[in-house]
Amino acid sequence: MIYRTRFLLPIFLLLSTACKDTKTTADSGIERAPRLIDSAVVVRIDSTLGRFVDSGNVAGVSALIFEKDQEVYYNAFGFADREAQKPMARNTIVQIYSMTKPITGTALMTLFEEGAFELDDPVSKYAPEFADMKVYAGTDASGNMILEEPRRPMTIRDLTRHTAGFGGNAQVPGVGALIAKADAMNRENTLTQMAEKMGATPLYFHPGEQWEYGPSVDVQALLVERISGRPYRDYVRERVLDPLGMEETRYYVPERDRGRFSAMYVRKGEGKLDQLPDTLAKSNYTERWPLTRGGSGLTSTLDNYMRFARMLVHKGTFDGVSVLKPETVELMATNHLPDSIEKRSWLPSKGQVGFGIDFAVRIRPPVSAEENNGPVGEFFWDGAASTLFWVDPVNDLTAVLFVQLFPYDPIGLHKNFRDAVYGPYLESGE
């Protein structure tokens, strides 16, 4: 049996709301735009998400959407733990991986607002571990590594837009073996030990010259720690998570809540999923490790992460609490990648996007039906276990999609979910 649960507005309320929104207001004479999420869209989203579970390509999936401060969609399909027959639920805890990054960026920008740093400050001003880094430039005839001086210092802006020069992982050509040997991301390291090991490893490219996903946001967490004088895990808790009521967005999941912690699945082929053992999938979250990463490591629930997204669509203030100023959110949601940065790794696979401060930013509409759908001005990010969220200021809409699936979205879940929300792609003029 496939479990499907729902808590959303009854269809008649959705219909009446949609009709109400298209009426001309008596006092203004201005016709209000209809809501994007109407009863037909709800059915389309249900069909889309349910199909992925029915096909066996997803064990469980859930989604939550707010539009114009109203909850317009929630549903959950399948299982958080298929083997234990535990349904996916609204309060299921999932690993959000890189959806941690925008939270870290928010913590960093609270210090920016206080005048504690400028985006174009050298990183080494606050973290001298990065003062003497060299850049990999190939090998000589004898196979020895050639290292160059950086053409300019790495800046905090480079960290926030992934142009710092760091290689992403051990598979990066030339420096991958050194990245693996340094083992900077070992969870037994502190943030300072992480920085020492990263600072002793050559950069993959000169700062500011290409886009490459990597550990830049982990260095942002270090900077928060250095600039604030507070442990990063405490600072993000006190300045972002607790003020927003995100008590269940955590690095450590206590014993009492582990019954709600979703299992993790690996897709092995069409309709074939293997559950990862909890000892492997959850060990980062069931012990307290020294490394508090800024780039990943948080767990959350749908409603908790939605509070973060709604703060952003409200330009920094939510539920009476101001986390950021409107101009700061606008700065974060603005493309910071100049056209001169042509090498962008896999970023173009996200669609017509640039990159702001820890968000991808949609700068042009999709040019084909194969591209990810979304309006210009949207900003978003996702996680390694195929989770996704976005903020759509055009429609005053926020969406959070939770699933626990490796490898990253091998089934087109994100594209299909976006198409279900926004409708089919239409060429210009249609």
Side-chain angles (χ1 to χ4, degrees):
M1 176 185 295
I2 300 299
Y3 276 83
R4 306 167 189 260
T5 63
R6 174 179 303 289
F7 178 77
L8 51 73
L9 295 173
I11 293 298
F12 76 88
L13 281 181
L14 281 167
L15 288 169
S16 64
T17 301
C19 293
K20 187 186 299 181
D21 279 355
T22 59
K23 292 180 179 178
T24 301
T25 58
D27 55 343
S28 66
I30 299 174
E31 187 174 0
R32 296 167 58 192
R35 289 188 184 277
L36 178 68
I37 309 299
D38 61 15
S39 59
V41 175
V42 166
V43 171
R44 190 166 64 202
I45 298 172
D46 276 350
S47 175
T48 298
L49 298 183
R51 186 169 65 247
F52 279 101
V53 173
D54 293 341
S55 68
N57 286 301
V58 166
V61 62
S62 59
L64 180 63
I65 302 173
F66 272 73
E67 184 180 3
K68 297 177 175 66
D69 271 336
Q70 297 291 320
E71 179 180 315
V72 292
Y73 183 87
Y74 164 72
N75 208 352
F77 299 83
F79 297 98
D81 188 327
R82 185 183 60 186
E83 286 66 23
Q85 293 287 287
K86 185 180 299 179
M88 196 77 171
R90 188 158 183 152
N91 67 347
T92 295
I93 297 167
V94 307
Q95 302 174 45
I96 63 172
Y97 287 94
S98 286
M99 281 169 59
T100 303
K101 288 178 169 69
I103 293 175
T104 301
T106 298
L108 180 68
M109 294 306 285
T110 63
L111 293 166
F112 173 81
E113 288 188 345
E114 295 172 2
F117 70 90
E118 297 294 335
L119 285 174
D120 292 317
D121 283 346
V123 173
S124 60
K125 179 178 179 180
Y126 309 97
E129 294 91 342
F130 299 99
D132 299 316
M133 297 195 77
K134 302 296 188 288
V135 180
Y136 172 76
T139 56
D140 61 22
S142 301
N144 298 312
M145 187 175 293
I146 300 171
L147 299 178
E148 297 179 346
E149 292 292 327
R151 296 189 180 113
R152 67 158 176 79
M154 177 197 305
T155 66
I156 296 177
R157 189 187 303 273
D158 288 320
L159 295 178
T160 62
R161 65 183 187 182
H162 294 286
T163 60
F166 296 119
N169 53 50
Q171 282 69 54
V172 170
V175 297
L178 295 178
I179 292 172
K181 184 178 180 180
D183 198 18
M185 295 302 149
N186 190 306
R187 57 194 182 184
E188 295 283 4
N189 293 331
T190 63
L191 284 170
T192 291
Q193 290 169 330
M194 174 201 77
E196 291 169 350
K197 294 178 178 183
M198 289 174 62
T201 306
L203 293 172
Y204 178 44
F205 57 90
H206 289 275
E209 296 192 2
Q210 68 184 73
W211 187 96
E212 181 70 35
Y213 205 55
S216 290
V217 190
D218 300 300
V219 181
Q220 289 180 45
L222 171 76
L223 293 186
V224 170
E225 199 163 278
R226 293 285 173 83
I227 295 170
S228 71
R230 300 275 293 142
Y232 176 69
R233 80 168 65 234
D234 294 343
Y235 188 89
V236 72
R237 182 95 257 154
E238 294 164 5
R239 295 297 299 272
V240 181
L241 300 176
D242 282 351
L244 288 174
M246 297 172 67
E247 293 86 359
E248 293 201 321
T249 301
R250 302 168 288 194
Y251 285 98
Y252 172 79
V253 179
E255 182 72 38
R256 66 178 182 275
D257 293 331
R258 291 176 193 169
R260 295 189 283 118
F261 200 172
S262 177
M264 185 68 70
Y265 292 87
V266 178
R267 184 174 183 266
K268 295 293 188 178
E270 179 60 29
K272 297 179 180 178
L273 296 173
D274 285 354
Q275 182 178 327
L276 287 176
D278 283 354
T279 53
L280 176 64
K282 299 179 180 179
S283 62
N284 281 338
Y285 313 94
T286 54
E287 295 185 47
R288 299 184 188 275
W289 301 98
L291 187 64
T292 307
R293 294 190 61 178
S296 68
L298 285 173
T299 61
S300 194
T301 62
L302 272 179
D303 283 288
N304 251 217
Y305 207 89
M306 180 57 77
R307 295 182 71 83
F308 177 68
R310 293 180 71 193
M311 177 274 290
L312 293 168
V313 84
H314 282 285
K315 303 185 186 304
T317 298
F318 178 67
D319 210 11
V321 174
S322 292
V323 175
L324 294 172
K325 298 175 182 177
E327 56 266 33
T328 305
V329 175
E330 183 177 353
L331 179 66
M332 296 175 73
T334 298
N335 177 34
H336 289 232
L337 288 182
D339 291 341
S340 60
I341 300 178
E342 297 179 350
K343 292 183 178 180
R344 300 190 177 193
S345 185
W346 45 258
L347 185 62
S349 70
K350 301 292 186 186
Q352 301 295 312
V353 303
F355 210 85
I357 295 177
D358 294 316
F359 301 107
V361 179
R362 194 170 302 281
I363 56 177
R364 289 181 296 272
V367 298
S368 73
E370 289 69 42
E371 283 192 355
N372 279 338
N373 215 339
V376 174
E378 168 210 1
F379 52 105
F380 66 94
W381 205 235
D382 46 37
S386 307
T387 58
L388 170 69
F389 93 105
W390 73 82
V391 177
D392 171 359
V394 175
N395 294 292
D396 193 10
L397 181 147
T398 49
V400 181
L401 177 74
F402 275 0
V403 64
Q404 298 285 264
L405 179 68
F406 281 123
Y408 169 81
D409 194 12
I411 52 177
L413 175 62
H414 292 183
K415 160 111 178 100
N416 279 269
F417 179 54
R418 284 179 171 278
D419 285 350
V421 171
Y422 289 109
Y425 166 80
L426 297 176
E427 292 186 10
S428 298
E430 287 192 42

